Structures are given as structure tokens and as C-alpha cells.
Amino acid sequence: MHLRMDALSAAERYKLLAGTVVPRPIAWVSTLSAAGVGNVAPYSFFNMIASAPPLVVLGAMRGANGGLKDTATNILETKEFVVNLVSEPMLEAMNLTCVDAPPEIDEAALAGLEMLPSELIAPPRIAGAPVSLECRLYQAIDAPPGSTIILGEVVAMTIDERFVDAATLRPDPVAMQLMGRVHGVGGYTRIRTDRTLARPVYEAPPAARGGA
Ligand SMILES: Cc1cc2nc3c(=O)[nH]c(=O)nc-3n(C[C@H](O)[C@H](O)[C@H](O)COP(=O)(O)O)c2cc1C
């Protein structure tokens, strides 16, 4: 089956891409509005895309009314957000926060989340999340007709010290029980390491080395 994207509806494109580009990590994003109202929502159009500078990307689709979602509005207005990563014990609370609540409602309260202050930015982080990334807006890209792409620079990380080797700074995402998203209709997967491969080292063939 060969599918041209311009022949499909937005819903069909979403279904096909969200069900094949998997698993996706989940950014559980906490923000503050310009007036200081808290907001928490999950975004799985999310990844790390650079380490120098340390950048993450979020993709916010337009809301049901065609306007920006609260997370995108808040980030564009305040230029700050926290990406909290989702562990399996917090999966159901995460799901509660995707409810389409009006801007004056803080989903953290709806889901019974405890919020803790961040170190460098104003939006708080979610207590109990194994990792929280404090981010400042790096660049926002309007992608009409339906999306806003947000690049964030990670300025600080809080990581549960049980899950990181203090000497090597190597984290253990399996022990953290981080979850990924596998399709757009409520499917999630655990993170695990099934195979480990050594990185290959290129060896030039004998002719290239000047041999016979
Ligand atoms: C696991 C999960 C991942 C989601 N990922 C996205 C996403 O990447 N982009 C998006 O626009 N909406 C995504 N949604 C839907 C938003 O969370 C939902 O529209 C939410 O109400 C937005 O809240 P806000 O207006 O407070 O930002 C996701 C929902 C779930 C449950």
C-alpha cells in the first residue's frame, strides 16, 4: 500500500503516523499562564533532538476550537516549561491530565498531583516524576494549518538519584519504569532493553590501506 499524504485527511495521517512512528516518549508538560495559572498536559510528539545545545521538541496540534492548546499558549507567552517524564505508576494520573479542561482549570489539581518548585524557571515540576527537564523556549515554528512546533532548551534536569549512577551520570530508564506511547488510542509500552549491540568500528579494506 502506497499512501500519498496529500490524499489523506488529517485524521488519517495522524492514525498512520502515530501508529507507526513508535514508541514515542511522553512529555508531561507543566506550564504557567501569564496570569500564573498552572497547567499540566501530556505530549507524545516529543523527543530530544540535540545535546549542544540541549534541545527538545514538542508538537502541539490545534485544539477542538481551532485555537492553540493551553500548553502552547503558555509557552509562547511565558517562554518556560517543564517536561516531566512518565513512569508506569504515574500513567493513569498522566492520562487524567489530557482532559480538555478550560484554561482556568489546573489539571494538576484534577489529577491529585503534587507540584514542586523548579530551580531556574517559574513553572513547577511534578513530584514523583523520575525526571524533570526545565526548559526555556528556543524557537517556536508555526506549522499551518494545524500545528505549532516548540523547540525548548533544557537548562536543568532533576533526576531521582535512585536511577542515575552518580559517578558516571548514566541513568537507568528501565529502573525508572518510563512509558512510551504506541498509538493514538490509548496504547502504551514499557521501556526495556532486549538487545545490546557494540558500535561498529570502520575498518578500511586492504586496498584502501595501500595493501596488495
Ligand atoms: C499520551 C498522550 C499524548 C498526547 N500527545 C499530544 C501531542 O503530542 N500533541 C498534542 O497536540 N496533543 C497531544 N495529546 C492531547 C493533549 O494532551 C490534550 O489535547 C490536552 O487536553 C492538551 O492540554 P492543554 O490544552 O492543557 O495543553 C496527547 C494526549 C495523551 C494522552
Side-chain angles (χ1 to χ4, degrees):
M1 191 184 285
H2 180 254
L3 300 158
R4 282 184 56 141
M5 290 293 131
D6 60 5
L8 300 172
S9 68
E12 289 168 333
R13 292 192 293 261
Y14 174 84
K15 202 168 17 181
L16 286 160
L17 289 168
T20 53
V21 184
V22 293
R24 293 188 306 284
I26 304 164
W28 201 6
V29 184
S30 40
T31 53
L32 292 175
S33 73
V37 178
N39 191 86
V40 174
Y43 285 78
S44 70
F45 292 167
F46 161 60
N47 221 308
M48 159 195 175
I49 52 162
S51 59
L55 297 181
V56 293
V57 65
L58 300 177
M61 297 179 281
R62 292 290 152 100
N65 59 4
L68 291 178
K69 293 189 180 182
D70 297 338
T71 299
T73 302
N74 292 351
I75 294 172
L76 295 181
E77 286 182 4
T78 67
K79 321 266 188 260
E80 294 181 337
F81 59 102
V82 180
V83 170
N84 306 273
L85 300 183
V86 179
S87 63
E88 189 164 7
M90 302 190 86
L91 192 69
E92 283 165 20
M94 178 281 296
N95 194 41
L96 285 176
T97 64
C98 86
V99 67
D100 188 14
E104 65 278 12
I105 300 295
D106 185 350
E107 294 86 355
L110 289 182
L113 298 175
E114 183 192 347
M115 306 303 291
L116 295 171
S118 295
E119 297 291 329
L120 300 184
I121 62 173
R125 63 187 177 90
I126 298 173
V131 178
S132 299
L133 309 175
E134 295 177 37
C135 302
R136 291 209 175 98
L137 179 63
Y138 185 80
Q139 192 176 335
I141 303 165
D142 187 28
S147 294
T148 303
I149 308 302
I150 289 160
L151 301 181
E153 178 167 0
V154 182
V155 293
M157 169 192 274
T158 303
I159 181 165
D160 185 328
E161 57 203 24
R162 290 175 297 163
F163 303 129
V164 63
D165 183 316
T168 63
L169 290 187
R170 194 166 290 284
D172 185 344
V174 177
M176 284 181 217
Q177 297 181 269
L178 294 181
M179 299 298 287
R181 199 178 197 204
V182 284
H183 51 64
V185 283
Y188 297 94
T189 187
R190 298 186 174 105
I191 301 299
R192 47 176 209 269
T193 303
D194 293 325
R195 297 186 53 187
T196 304
L197 297 178
R199 197 162 172 158
V201 177
Y202 179 72
E203 272 187 49
R209 293 201 301 257

